[in-house]
């Protein structure tokens, strides 16, 4: 990170806001030492005169930096709450393909999500062309897991019996007619989110879901597909993921073939005020 000393007015705002204390004042001008800097960009965002920039344009393009405008950046709190209340997990999809620019916006929603120490260690596998191949691997994996559970039931694993039967049934139905797709529900797209830090991947996934809804698309988080990928090397190889433990989520996405007319009730929040 660098400071243009000709522009710097010595306001010290960047120094005050630097979480890693990497900024000092020299001759009443800000100086970034770049010793503990994590390139979070707070100094760029807070500078009132655009004196701070990133010296690594290949990874951090200053062309992406947008000045704050209230009309473009402010969301009414009640409308945001209603937007979140109205979202539903969609499992009825149209056959329509999803435009590439919409997929890119969904990825950007993940990319601009905060990560601990600004590690930006979240990656994305977008599955479209190889979706049929992924389906075959996923159905086969869940069938095998289901059969193993059913053949080795114990009191400790009894709660898994219903899922095991479900996975075997899903496999049989899919093999009879591939329209009977109870894993992807014939959606045209799946995005796997992975990170060595499960929190980073999960936060990114949540923002991606909100963007998906904002684009007029529908999605659901598939826990079954994460289970299918567990210890399944062919599936992990297809996804380009080395360790199934790094898989944070899978968003199955498509244009919804269902219309909801209202929100739904929820239990009261469990809150402790201390």
């Amino acid at each position: 990170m660098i400071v243009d000393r000709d522009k710097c007015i010595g306001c010290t705002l960047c120094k005050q806001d630097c979480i890693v204390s990497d900024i000092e004042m020299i001759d009443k001008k800000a100086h970034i030492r770049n010793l503990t800097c994590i390139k979070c960009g707070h100094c760029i965002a807070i500078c009132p005169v655009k004196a701070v920039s990133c010296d690594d344009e290949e990874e951090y393009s200053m062309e992406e930096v947008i000045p704050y405008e209230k009309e473009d950046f402010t969301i009414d709190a009640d409308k945001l709450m209603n937007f979140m209340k109205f979202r539903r997990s969609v499992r009825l999809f149209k056959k329509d393909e999803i435009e590439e620019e919409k997929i890119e916006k969904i990825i950007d929603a993940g990319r601009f999500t905060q990560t601990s120490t600004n590690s930006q260690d979240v990656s994305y596998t977008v599955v479209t062309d190889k979706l049929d191949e992924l389906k075959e691997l996923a159905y086969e994996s869940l069938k095998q897991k289901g059969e193993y559970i059913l053949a080795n039931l114990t009191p400790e694993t009894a709660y898994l019996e219903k899922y095991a039967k479900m996975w075997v049934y899903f496999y049989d139905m899919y093999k009879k007619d591939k329209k009977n797709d109870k894993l992807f529900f014939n959606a045209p797209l799946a995005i796997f989110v992975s990170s060595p830090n499960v929190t980073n991947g999960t936060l990114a996934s949540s923002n991606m879901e909100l963007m998906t809804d904002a684009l007029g698309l529908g999605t659901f988080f598939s826990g079954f597909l994460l289970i299918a990928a567990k210890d399944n090397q062919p599936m992990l190889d297809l996804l380009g993921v080395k360790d199934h433990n790094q898989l944070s989520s899978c968003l199955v996405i498509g244009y919804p073939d269902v219309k909801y007319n209202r929100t739904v009730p929820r239990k009261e929040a469990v809150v402790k005020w201390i």
Side-chain angles (χ1 to χ4, degrees):
M1 308 296 283
I2 55 177
V3 177
D4 186 331
R5 292 181 60 84
D6 293 332
K7 291 182 179 180
C8 179
I9 58 175
C11 65
T12 75
L13 289 176
C14 60
K15 182 178 186 298
Q16 295 175 49
D17 199 49
C18 182
I19 191 173
V20 293
S21 302
D22 196 48
I23 301 176
E24 59 186 350
M25 304 302 295
I26 299 178
D27 297 330
K28 298 183 178 180
K29 300 284 185 178
H31 172 71
I32 302 174
R33 298 180 299 164
N34 288 304
L35 296 177
T36 56
C37 177
I38 59 173
K39 292 190 176 181
C40 65
H42 275 226
C43 50
I44 293 173
I46 203 170
C47 180
V49 293
K50 297 193 292 185
V52 188
S53 61
C54 185
D55 59 351
D56 188 356
E57 280 288 325
E58 289 187 5
E59 289 195 352
Y60 295 87
S61 174
M62 290 298 293
E63 292 181 0
E64 286 193 328
V65 177
I66 306 172
Y68 174 80
E69 296 290 345
K70 185 175 181 180
E71 290 185 0
D72 295 331
F73 284 80
T74 303
I75 301 175
D76 178 81
D78 289 334
K79 286 187 176 180
L80 176 60
M81 179 58 71
N82 284 337
F83 181 79
M84 292 188 291
K85 284 182 178 180
F86 190 65
R87 65 140 302 279
R88 302 259 62 78
S89 294
V90 174
R91 290 181 175 84
L92 292 170
F93 298 104
K94 297 178 181 179
K95 295 180 180 180
D96 302 12
E97 296 297 319
I98 300 173
E99 300 86 342
E100 186 174 337
E101 57 267 25
K102 289 191 175 182
I103 299 175
E104 290 175 350
K105 280 192 175 182
I106 294 170
I107 298 299
D108 271 350
R111 184 165 70 98
F112 281 94
T113 302
Q114 69 273 27
T115 53
S116 60
T117 66
N118 194 37
S119 56
Q120 300 183 57
D121 57 356
V122 183
S123 58
Y124 314 88
T125 302
V126 179
V127 186
T128 53
D129 295 340
K130 295 186 177 182
L131 192 60
D132 288 340
E133 184 178 348
L134 177 65
K135 287 183 182 182
E136 295 292 336
L137 291 171
Y139 274 104
E140 183 66 33
S141 176
L142 287 177
K143 179 184 77 80
Q144 292 179 5
K145 286 177 168 62
E147 290 175 341
Y148 178 83
I149 291 170
L150 294 174
N152 297 275
L153 281 174
T154 66
E156 290 75 22
T157 61
Y159 74 99
L160 294 173
E161 183 178 5
K162 63 178 180 179
Y163 296 109
K165 290 180 177 179
M166 191 183 302
W167 297 336
V168 174
Y169 174 74
F170 285 173
Y171 174 87
D172 291 338
M173 293 296 293
Y174 182 72
K175 287 300 181 178
K176 288 179 182 178
D177 185 347
K178 293 189 176 180
K179 292 181 181 179
N180 297 324
D181 180 9
K182 295 299 183 181
L183 290 183
F184 297 83
F185 297 89
N186 299 301
L189 169 69
I191 302 179
F192 286 79
V193 181
S194 57
S195 172
N197 184 315
V198 65
T199 301
N200 291 345
T202 303
L203 289 173
S205 303
S206 182
N207 281 348
M208 291 167 69
E209 184 203 25
L210 291 177
M211 178 57 73
T212 298
D213 289 349
L215 291 168
L217 299 166
T219 186
F220 71 94
F221 287 108
S222 177
F224 283 176
L225 290 176
L226 296 186
I227 293 172
K230 182 178 175 61
D231 298 320
N232 188 307
Q233 199 58 50
M235 194 168 169
L236 293 174
D237 289 342
L238 178 66
L239 297 174
V241 178
K242 294 181 179 180
D243 184 352
H244 68 258
N245 290 313
Q246 293 191 0
L247 285 172
S248 301
S249 70
C250 171
L251 292 89
V252 177
I253 302 171
Y255 279 98
D257 196 17
V258 59
K259 180 181 178 180
Y260 297 104
N261 296 306
R262 58 195 58 83
T263 64
V264 301
R266 284 286 188 261
K267 295 179 181 179
E268 289 290 327
V270 178
V271 182
K272 293 181 180 179
W273 297 83
I274 59 175

